[in-house]
Amino acid sequence: MSAGHRPGRPEDLPHPELLWAAGTARVVCADLVGGLDANTVGHRGVRVDDGGGNWWRLALVEGGPAVLYGEDSEASKGKWHTPPVDFLRGGPDWLPWDTLLDLESGCELGFVYWWEEHLGWARAPYPEDLKDDGLATTALLSADLDRVLDDLTGTLCDSAWPDDTQGDGEEDDEEALAAHFRTIAETVVRHVRSRTLTGPLLTQSVGTRLGDALEVSAAVETARRAGAVPGAPRPLTPRGSGRPEV
C-alpha cells in the first residue's frame, strides 16, 4: 500500500473492512502478550494507540457507514492552522457528533474521514497550505499488511521471548522462534480478517513452548468483542442525529 498523500486524501484509504481487521489484529496481539490499555475495541470502535500521542479509531456505525478519526502528535497540523481546520465541516448527520465535538474542543483531533457504501471515503475541505493531517503516519501505516505483520511479530518477540533462549547463543533456535512468532502473527491477521479466530486454533498456533507466556483466552475474548470469532457480531456505534446547533 502507498504511504499516501500529505495531507491525506480520501482515495488513500482502503475499505473499512481492511482497517477494522488491521486494528483488531493489533489489539488481539497486544492482549495476547498482556494487554496495552490504550489499544481497545468495543462499541466506540477499534482504537490503536502507540502511547506517544499518536492514535486512530475506526467506528462502524449502525446501518453500515464508518468513521475514522485520530491524530499524530507531531504531524497533525490542522488544529494549529490559522484558522483551525473544521474537520467536521460537511459531515453527515450519522456521525457520532458528541464524541467528535468533545475531541475537537480538547484539541485532540488531527483528521476525520467518513465512509458510506457507494460513496466511499470523504472528509472536510482543507486549506491549500495545510502541510499534513497525520493520516499517513497513523491509520495508513496500520493498513499496510506487511507493516502490520512486522509490527505484530516485533510485539510478540519483545514481550513473550522465552527465558530459556536469552543469551544462550543458540542462533538457530532464536531464528526458529522468530519465525514462530511471525507465524502466530500471520494466524491472527488471517483469521481476524475472515472472522474465524478460535481458542483451539490460536492455542495450536502458539504451541506448548509459548503457552505460559501468552494469554490466549484474553486474546480470543478481544477477538470476540470485535466480531472476529465465528458467529460474533461486530460492535456498532450508535448513529448520530446531526451536528448540534450552537
Side-chain angles (χ1 to χ4, degrees), residues 17-45:
E17 285 284 341
L18 193 154
L19 276 175
W20 183 267
T24 296
R26 289 176 181 272
V27 181
V28 168
C29 278
D31 285 348
L32 189 59
V33 297
L36 180 62
D37 289 343
N39 290 331
T40 60
V41 63
H43 73 277
R44 294 179 60 195

mmCIF file of all heavy atoms in Angstrom, residues 17-45:
data_model
loop_
_atom_site.group_PDB
_atom_site.id
_atom_site.type_symbol
_atom_site.label_atom_id
_atom_site.label_comp_id
_atom_site.label_asym_id
_atom_site.label_seq_id
_atom_site.Cartn_x
_atom_site.Cartn_y
_atom_site.Cartn_z
ATOM 1 N N GLU A 17 -13.312 -2.479 6.043
ATOM 2 C CA GLU A 17 -13.106 -3.856 6.489
ATOM 3 C C GLU A 17 -11.625 -4.145 6.718
ATOM 4 O O GLU A 17 -11.246 -4.819 7.680
ATOM 5 C CB GLU A 17 -13.667 -4.833 5.457
ATOM 6 C CG GLU A 17 -15.170 -4.935 5.443
ATOM 7 C CD GLU A 17 -15.720 -5.760 6.606
ATOM 8 O OE1 GLU A 17 -14.942 -6.525 7.199
ATOM 9 O OE2 GLU A 17 -16.917 -5.638 6.902
ATOM 10 N N LEU A 18 -10.773 -3.636 5.826
ATOM 11 C CA LEU A 18 -9.347 -3.865 5.979
ATOM 12 C C LEU A 18 -8.803 -3.114 7.186
ATOM 13 O O LEU A 18 -8.003 -3.651 7.963
ATOM 14 C CB LEU A 18 -8.609 -3.447 4.708
ATOM 15 C CG LEU A 18 -7.145 -3.909 4.590
ATOM 16 C CD1 LEU A 18 -6.756 -4.014 3.120
ATOM 17 C CD2 LEU A 18 -6.182 -2.968 5.302
ATOM 18 N N LEU A 19 -9.227 -1.873 7.361
ATOM 19 C CA LEU A 19 -8.787 -1.101 8.528
ATOM 20 C C LEU A 19 -9.243 -1.764 9.822
ATOM 21 O O LEU A 19 -8.489 -1.825 10.805
ATOM 22 C CB LEU A 19 -9.341 0.314 8.459
ATOM 23 C CG LEU A 19 -8.575 1.342 7.637
ATOM 24 C CD1 LEU A 19 -9.347 2.651 7.601
ATOM 25 C CD2 LEU A 19 -7.183 1.565 8.216
ATOM 26 N N TRP A 20 -10.488 -2.237 9.839
ATOM 27 C CA TRP A 20 -11.013 -2.887 11.038
ATOM 28 C C TRP A 20 -10.200 -4.135 11.371
ATOM 29 O O TRP A 20 -9.824 -4.365 12.526
ATOM 30 C CB TRP A 20 -12.479 -3.251 10.849
ATOM 31 C CG TRP A 20 -13.100 -3.847 12.072
ATOM 32 C CD1 TRP A 20 -13.210 -5.167 12.389
ATOM 33 C CD2 TRP A 20 -13.675 -3.131 13.176
ATOM 34 N NE1 TRP A 20 -13.818 -5.331 13.611
ATOM 35 C CE2 TRP A 20 -14.116 -4.100 14.112
ATOM 36 C CE3 TRP A 20 -13.864 -1.793 13.460
ATOM 37 C CZ2 TRP A 20 -14.731 -3.749 15.314
ATOM 38 C CZ3 TRP A 20 -14.482 -1.439 14.647
ATOM 39 C CH2 TRP A 20 -14.915 -2.405 15.556
ATOM 40 N N ALA A 21 -9.901 -4.934 10.362
ATOM 41 C CA ALA A 21 -9.115 -6.144 10.587
ATOM 42 C C ALA A 21 -7.710 -5.814 11.069
ATOM 43 O O ALA A 21 -7.182 -6.464 11.988
ATOM 44 C CB ALA A 21 -9.058 -6.978 9.307
ATOM 45 N N ALA A 22 -7.081 -4.799 10.461
ATOM 46 C CA ALA A 22 -5.727 -4.423 10.868
ATOM 47 C C ALA A 22 -5.702 -3.925 12.309
ATOM 48 O O ALA A 22 -4.832 -4.299 13.100
ATOM 49 C CB ALA A 22 -5.181 -3.351 9.931
ATOM 50 N N GLY A 23 -6.675 -3.087 12.658
ATOM 51 C CA GLY A 23 -6.729 -2.585 14.025
ATOM 52 C C GLY A 23 -7.036 -3.680 15.023
ATOM 53 O O GLY A 23 -6.410 -3.767 16.091
ATOM 54 N N THR A 24 -7.988 -4.543 14.685
ATOM 55 C CA THR A 24 -8.348 -5.633 15.584
ATOM 56 C C THR A 24 -7.174 -6.577 15.791
ATOM 57 O O THR A 24 -6.914 -7.032 16.916
ATOM 58 C CB THR A 24 -9.558 -6.402 15.022
ATOM 59 O OG1 THR A 24 -10.688 -5.532 14.982
ATOM 60 C CG2 THR A 24 -9.888 -7.611 15.885
ATOM 61 N N ALA A 25 -6.450 -6.895 14.730
ATOM 62 C CA ALA A 25 -5.284 -7.780 14.860
ATOM 63 C C ALA A 25 -4.260 -7.185 15.818
ATOM 64 O O ALA A 25 -3.649 -7.911 16.621
ATOM 65 C CB ALA A 25 -4.655 -8.029 13.493
ATOM 66 N N ARG A 26 -4.069 -5.883 15.768
ATOM 67 C CA ARG A 26 -3.130 -5.233 16.685
ATOM 68 C C ARG A 26 -3.607 -5.340 18.132
ATOM 69 O O ARG A 26 -2.823 -5.608 19.039
ATOM 70 C CB ARG A 26 -2.934 -3.774 16.282
ATOM 71 C CG ARG A 26 -2.132 -3.604 14.999
ATOM 72 C CD ARG A 26 -2.035 -2.144 14.589
ATOM 73 N NE ARG A 26 -1.275 -1.989 13.351
ATOM 74 C CZ ARG A 26 0.040 -1.853 13.281
ATOM 75 N NH1 ARG A 26 0.761 -1.860 14.394
ATOM 76 N NH2 ARG A 26 0.643 -1.711 12.118
ATOM 77 N N VAL A 27 -4.896 -5.128 18.352
ATOM 78 C CA VAL A 27 -5.420 -5.208 19.715
ATOM 79 C C VAL A 27 -5.365 -6.647 20.224
ATOM 80 O O VAL A 27 -5.020 -6.892 21.383
ATOM 81 C CB VAL A 27 -6.853 -4.656 19.778
ATOM 82 C CG1 VAL A 27 -7.381 -4.717 21.203
ATOM 83 C CG2 VAL A 27 -6.901 -3.218 19.266
ATOM 84 N N VAL A 28 -5.700 -7.610 19.372
ATOM 85 C CA VAL A 28 -5.659 -9.019 19.764
ATOM 86 C C VAL A 28 -4.242 -9.414 20.168
ATOM 87 O O VAL A 28 -4.033 -10.059 21.208
ATOM 88 C CB VAL A 28 -6.173 -9.921 18.628
ATOM 89 C CG1 VAL A 28 -5.858 -11.387 18.902
ATOM 90 C CG2 VAL A 28 -7.682 -9.742 18.459
ATOM 91 N N CYS A 29 -3.252 -9.024 19.380
ATOM 92 C CA CYS A 29 -1.868 -9.389 19.719
ATOM 93 C C CYS A 29 -1.385 -8.652 20.961
ATOM 94 O O CYS A 29 -0.604 -9.199 21.745
ATOM 95 C CB CYS A 29 -0.943 -9.118 18.538
ATOM 96 S SG CYS A 29 -0.957 -10.439 17.312
ATOM 97 N N ALA A 30 -1.850 -7.422 21.160
ATOM 98 C CA ALA A 30 -1.494 -6.709 22.391
ATOM 99 C C ALA A 30 -2.028 -7.455 23.608
ATOM 100 O O ALA A 30 -1.335 -7.608 24.622
ATOM 101 C CB ALA A 30 -2.042 -5.282 22.354
ATOM 102 N N ASP A 31 -3.259 -7.956 23.526
ATOM 103 C CA ASP A 31 -3.828 -8.709 24.640
ATOM 104 C C ASP A 31 -3.206 -10.091 24.755
ATOM 105 O O ASP A 31 -3.154 -10.659 25.849
ATOM 106 C CB ASP A 31 -5.339 -8.814 24.486
ATOM 107 C CG ASP A 31 -6.042 -7.511 24.830
ATOM 108 O OD1 ASP A 31 -5.378 -6.628 25.403
ATOM 109 O OD2 ASP A 31 -7.230 -7.366 24.524
ATOM 110 N N LEU A 32 -2.712 -10.620 23.664
ATOM 111 C CA LEU A 32 -2.030 -11.912 23.703
ATOM 112 C C LEU A 32 -0.773 -11.841 24.565
ATOM 113 O O LEU A 32 -0.391 -12.824 25.210
ATOM 114 C CB LEU A 32 -1.676 -12.350 22.283
ATOM 115 C CG LEU A 32 -1.154 -13.768 22.062
ATOM 116 C CD1 LEU A 32 -2.162 -14.819 22.532
ATOM 117 C CD2 LEU A 32 -0.834 -13.983 20.583
ATOM 118 N N VAL A 33 -0.133 -10.665 24.614
ATOM 119 C CA VAL A 33 1.091 -10.513 25.408
ATOM 120 C C VAL A 33 0.854 -9.747 26.707
ATOM 121 O O VAL A 33 1.780 -9.275 27.342
ATOM 122 C CB VAL A 33 2.202 -9.825 24.593
ATOM 123 C CG1 VAL A 33 2.588 -10.665 23.410
ATOM 124 C CG2 VAL A 33 1.803 -8.419 24.159
ATOM 125 N N GLY A 34 -0.403 -9.607 27.098
ATOM 126 C CA GLY A 34 -0.673 -8.992 28.393
ATOM 127 C C GLY A 34 -1.415 -7.686 28.339
ATOM 128 O O GLY A 34 -1.741 -7.114 29.377
ATOM 129 N N GLY A 35 -1.670 -7.189 27.139
ATOM 130 C CA GLY A 35 -2.538 -6.025 27.006
ATOM 131 C C GLY A 35 -1.804 -4.702 27.028
ATOM 132 O O GLY A 35 -0.784 -4.528 27.685
ATOM 133 N N LEU A 36 -2.306 -3.770 26.236
ATOM 134 C CA LEU A 36 -1.884 -2.375 26.224
ATOM 135 C C LEU A 36 -3.165 -1.574 26.321
ATOM 136 O O LEU A 36 -3.965 -1.559 25.398
ATOM 137 C CB LEU A 36 -1.119 -2.042 24.944
ATOM 138 C CG LEU A 36 -0.612 -0.612 24.780
ATOM 139 C CD1 LEU A 36 0.388 -0.274 25.878
ATOM 140 C CD2 LEU A 36 0.031 -0.419 23.406
ATOM 141 N N ASP A 37 -3.355 -0.920 27.487
ATOM 142 C CA ASP A 37 -4.647 -0.312 27.774
ATOM 143 C C ASP A 37 -5.109 0.661 26.701
ATOM 144 O O ASP A 37 -6.308 0.845 26.495
ATOM 145 C CB ASP A 37 -4.587 0.406 29.127
ATOM 146 C CG ASP A 37 -4.510 -0.577 30.295
ATOM 147 O OD1 ASP A 37 -4.821 -1.759 30.082
ATOM 148 O OD2 ASP A 37 -4.124 -0.158 31.396
ATOM 149 N N ALA A 38 -4.174 1.296 26.016
ATOM 150 C CA ALA A 38 -4.561 2.287 25.016
ATOM 151 C C ALA A 38 -5.165 1.653 23.769
ATOM 152 O O ALA A 38 -5.860 2.318 23.013
ATOM 153 C CB ALA A 38 -3.354 3.138 24.637
ATOM 154 N N ASN A 39 -4.890 0.371 23.542
ATOM 155 C CA ASN A 39 -5.452 -0.339 22.389
ATOM 156 C C ASN A 39 -6.722 -1.053 22.834
ATOM 157 O O ASN A 39 -6.667 -1.943 23.689
ATOM 158 C CB ASN A 39 -4.449 -1.352 21.841
ATOM 159 C CG ASN A 39 -3.273 -0.697 21.157
ATOM 160 O OD1 ASN A 39 -3.392 0.393 20.614
ATOM 161 N ND2 ASN A 39 -2.129 -1.350 21.183
ATOM 162 N N THR A 40 -7.847 -0.679 22.251
ATOM 163 C CA THR A 40 -9.124 -1.208 22.715
ATOM 164 C C THR A 40 -10.047 -1.489 21.533
ATOM 165 O O THR A 40 -9.850 -0.972 20.436
ATOM 166 C CB THR A 40 -9.831 -0.209 23.649
ATOM 167 O OG1 THR A 40 -10.063 1.024 22.940
ATOM 168 C CG2 THR A 40 -8.989 0.087 24.883
ATOM 169 N N VAL A 41 -11.074 -2.285 21.807
ATOM 170 C CA VAL A 41 -12.128 -2.497 20.825
ATOM 171 C C VAL A 41 -13.443 -2.652 21.578
ATOM 172 O O VAL A 41 -13.500 -3.278 22.637
ATOM 173 C CB VAL A 41 -11.838 -3.732 19.938
ATOM 174 C CG1 VAL A 41 -11.799 -5.015 20.749
ATOM 175 C CG2 VAL A 41 -12.849 -3.837 18.809
ATOM 176 N N GLY A 42 -14.482 -2.011 21.067
ATOM 177 C CA GLY A 42 -15.790 -2.041 21.717
ATOM 178 C C GLY A 42 -16.787 -1.243 20.902
ATOM 179 O O GLY A 42 -16.581 -0.993 19.706
ATOM 180 N N HIS A 43 -17.877 -0.819 21.545
ATOM 181 C CA HIS A 43 -18.949 -0.160 20.793
ATOM 182 C C HIS A 43 -18.522 1.188 20.222
ATOM 183 O O HIS A 43 -19.170 1.710 19.305
ATOM 184 C CB HIS A 43 -20.182 0.015 21.682
ATOM 185 C CG HIS A 43 -20.043 1.074 22.725
ATOM 186 N ND1 HIS A 43 -19.411 0.848 23.942
ATOM 187 C CD2 HIS A 43 -20.433 2.373 22.743
ATOM 188 C CE1 HIS A 43 -19.439 1.955 24.653
ATOM 189 N NE2 HIS A 43 -20.046 2.888 23.958
ATOM 190 N N ARG A 44 -17.430 1.771 20.730
ATOM 191 C CA ARG A 44 -16.930 3.024 20.162
ATOM 192 C C ARG A 44 -15.981 2.784 18.999
ATOM 193 O O ARG A 44 -15.520 3.722 18.367
ATOM 194 C CB ARG A 44 -16.235 3.857 21.241
ATOM 195 C CG ARG A 44 -17.159 4.367 22.335
ATOM 196 C CD ARG A 44 -16.404 5.162 23.370
ATOM 197 N NE ARG A 44 -15.757 6.325 22.786
ATOM 198 C CZ ARG A 44 -14.811 7.031 23.405
ATOM 199 N NH1 ARG A 44 -14.384 6.665 24.603
ATOM 200 N NH2 ARG A 44 -14.277 8.085 22.812
ATOM 201 N N GLY A 45 -15.679 1.515 18.733
ATOM 202 C CA GLY A 45 -14.817 1.186 17.613
ATOM 203 C C GLY A 45 -13.530 0.522 18.061
ATOM 204 O O GLY A 45 -13.366 0.146 19.223
#
